[in-house]
Amino acid sequence: MPKWYDSAVLANSKTFAADETVTADVTQFHTPAVCVQLESLEGNADDTLTVEIVGGAGTYEVDSRTLSSTGSYIVDIPQAETVRLTSANGSTISAEARNNPR
């Protein structure tokens, strides 16, 4: 059992290429939360960020939002094996999956 404050980094001020995806193992986390910070649009008008979970039953989109300005948000996800974050247009992002014990 991980500590209540454990996290897995998806991106640390990473500049994504268009349609680039990063993943993190969240098998040990109970109902994780994905924290996303859009830091720069890198000259694009907007970017669509998609959060998916991957497990034995398949891949499921949990959240997809198109952002036209920098900012942050949190997405609660069900327990899964892996979480994926994709940037459609390419932008600079920091993101992590955090253990979210109840």
Side-chain angles (χ1 to χ4, degrees):
M1 179 66 82
K3 296 188 182 337
W4 65 268
Y5 53 82
D6 277 356
S7 66
V9 174
L10 287 151
N12 187 6
S13 293
K14 176 178 174 39
T15 301
F16 284 66
D19 294 320
E20 183 174 356
T21 299
V22 292
T23 62
D25 179 352
V26 293
T27 53
Q28 297 298 314
F29 296 171
H30 179 58
T31 60
V34 178
C35 307
V36 179
Q37 170 72 39
L38 177 61
E39 297 175 2
S40 172
L41 288 165
E42 299 301 329
N44 297 309
D46 60 27
D47 193 9
T48 300
L49 304 179
T50 303
V51 175
E52 298 172 305
I53 57 169
V54 181
T59 300
Y60 300 93
E61 184 178 297
V62 178
D63 185 79
S64 183
R65 54 184 83 191
T66 301
L67 304 172
S68 58
S69 63
T70 59
S72 61
Y73 61 95
I74 297 172
V75 178
D76 290 324
I77 62 173
Q79 196 160 3
E81 294 172 13
T82 304
V83 64
R84 282 196 309 213
L85 173 67
T86 303
S87 169
N89 296 334
S91 56
T92 300
I93 302 168
S94 287
E96 69 179 348
R98 294 183 180 166
N99 192 21
N100 190 19
R102 299 202 192 265

